[in-house]
């Protein structure tokens, strides 16, 4: 019985990888850089994207796919900041997006006229790490209210990500959170992680984040 379960999972993952390859091919054909934002619930993915759309909307052509277990609240929030279509995927209980959902969402996006695609994954520190969506890179977001140990407790998320955003730094004066220790923990599991430090609330650090996105759009890749 156990062996059969593993076979099923392998088949599902193999199919997902095939579809992720197709997503990657389509994004590559139109030279669109795609960032898959992964994090625990509530670390600030949507607010960071809202601020990003506000700041870069006049400059870059950005599209968004958001995944939620239930409701399309995030898509509604994001749609207020862009005239581009925001694609909502409601997973009805699934704890991550999969490549088929992204491939379907791409059908409605004007890829030849898009520089950057953001995928806001379902808030979960475990499942999204295992699913390739055909993205250019994963960005792990964690916030100072979550504790410095999260990279050690959920290493796969940080190993699979090329970038990390430490968000809610406006709260640092009020919390016993050691920022250097958090970075050290993250680099223990992935020494190549490139870090951004942001407050999506106050705007601190967002210029560096936006410069990075400008570079992604210019290269049509993740630097
Ligand atoms: N103080 C502070 N609060 C923030 C910051 N970023 C987000 N928040 C707040 O944190 C809460 C969660 O933010 P969201 O943007 O909804 O987080 P999320 O990661 O998209 O959440 P899910 O999609 O549910 O996983 C909201 O109340 C935000 O206003 C920040 O930089 N500083
Ligand atoms: Mg969200």
């Amino acid at each position: 019985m156990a062996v059969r379960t593993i076979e099923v999972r392998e088949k599902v993952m193999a199919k997902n990888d095939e579809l992720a390859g197709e997503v990657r091919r389509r994004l590559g054909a139109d030279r669109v850089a795609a960032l898959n934002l992964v994090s625990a619930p509530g670390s600030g993915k949507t607010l960071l994207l809202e601020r990003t759309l506000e700041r870069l909307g006049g400059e870059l052509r950005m599209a968004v796919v958001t995944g939620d277990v239930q409701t399309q609240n995030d898509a509604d929030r994001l749609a207020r900041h862009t005239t581009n279509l925001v694609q909502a995927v409601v997973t009805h209980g699934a704890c991550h997006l999969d490549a088929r959902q992204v491939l379907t969402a791409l059908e409605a996006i004007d890829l030849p006229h898009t520089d950057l695609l953001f995928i806001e994954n379902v808030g979960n520190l475990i499942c999204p790490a295992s699913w390739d969506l055909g993205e250019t890179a994963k960005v792990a977001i964690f916030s100072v209210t979550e504790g410095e140990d999260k990279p050690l407790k959920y290493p796969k998320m940080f190993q699979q990500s090329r970038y990390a955003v430490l968000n809610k730094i406006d709260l640092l004066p009020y919390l016993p959170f050691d920022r250097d220790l958090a970075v050290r923990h993250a680099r223990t599991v992935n020494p190549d992680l490139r870090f951004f430090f942001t407050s999506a609330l106050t705007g601190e650090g967002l210029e560096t984040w936006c410069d990075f996105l400008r570079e992604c759009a210019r290269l049509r890749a993740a630097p």
Side-chain angles (χ1 to χ4, degrees):
M1 194 63 183
V3 172
R4 220 161 93 199
T5 306
I6 291 165
E7 278 174 2
V8 169
R9 181 175 157 78
E10 279 175 355
K11 271 191 194 157
V12 170
M13 294 309 265
K15 185 67 192 167
N16 183 76
D17 288 349
E18 185 188 321
L19 293 169
E22 178 59 16
V23 170
R24 200 162 274 120
R25 193 194 62 72
R26 289 199 196 174
L27 294 174
D30 289 314
R31 305 194 63 231
V32 179
L35 298 177
N36 178 5
L37 272 49
V38 292
S39 86
S43 49
K45 298 178 294 300
T46 308
L47 192 59
L48 183 66
L49 284 178
E50 288 181 84
R51 297 291 181 252
T52 301
L53 293 173
E54 274 170 15
R55 282 177 179 243
L56 294 178
E59 223 177 296
L60 304 180
R61 301 171 302 179
M62 295 174 285
V64 187
V65 177
T66 68
D68 258 317
V69 172
Q70 208 57 260
T71 84
Q72 59 173 59
N73 289 357
D74 287 0
D76 292 341
R77 280 168 62 187
L78 292 163
R80 289 189 211 117
H81 303 277
T82 177
T83 52
N84 292 345
L85 185 68
V86 177
Q87 286 284 89
V89 179
V90 179
T91 65
H92 298 293
C95 56
H96 60 88
L97 287 175
D98 63 36
R100 183 188 299 281
Q101 291 162 332
V102 175
L103 195 56
T104 305
L106 288 191
E107 297 296 332
I109 294 174
D110 182 7
L111 289 179
H113 297 105
T114 300
D115 303 312
L116 268 183
L117 172 69
F118 295 104
I119 304 168
E120 179 182 341
N121 217 313
V122 175
N124 184 305
L125 266 180
I126 303 167
C127 310
S130 301
W131 293 78
D132 183 8
L133 302 184
E135 72 275 326
T136 311
K138 286 187 174 69
V139 182
I141 300 179
F142 69 128
S143 60
V144 302
T145 50
E146 293 166 41
E148 304 92 340
D149 60 349
K150 290 304 162 291
L152 298 179
K153 293 177 90 171
Y154 303 93
K156 192 163 184 188
M157 189 65 89
F158 291 84
Q159 282 157 356
Q160 294 293 316
S161 297
R162 206 183 307 176
Y163 307 97
V165 176
L166 182 64
N167 191 37
K168 307 196 186 181
I169 58 170
D170 56 289
L171 297 177
L172 279 172
Y174 314 105
L175 296 169
F177 182 92
D178 183 335
R179 166 175 151 156
D180 294 340
L181 182 61
V183 172
R184 270 208 307 284
H185 284 336
R187 293 226 165 99
T188 300
V189 300
N190 181 354
D192 299 325
L193 266 180
R194 178 169 164 193
F195 257 92
F196 300 91
F197 302 94
T198 62
S199 168
L201 191 69
T202 66
E204 194 179 347
L206 290 190
E207 218 26 58
T208 307
W209 165 249
C210 287
D211 282 344
F212 159 69
L213 297 176
R214 288 183 183 101
E215 189 63 0
C216 290
R218 192 181 67 78
L219 297 172
R220 305 302 180 101

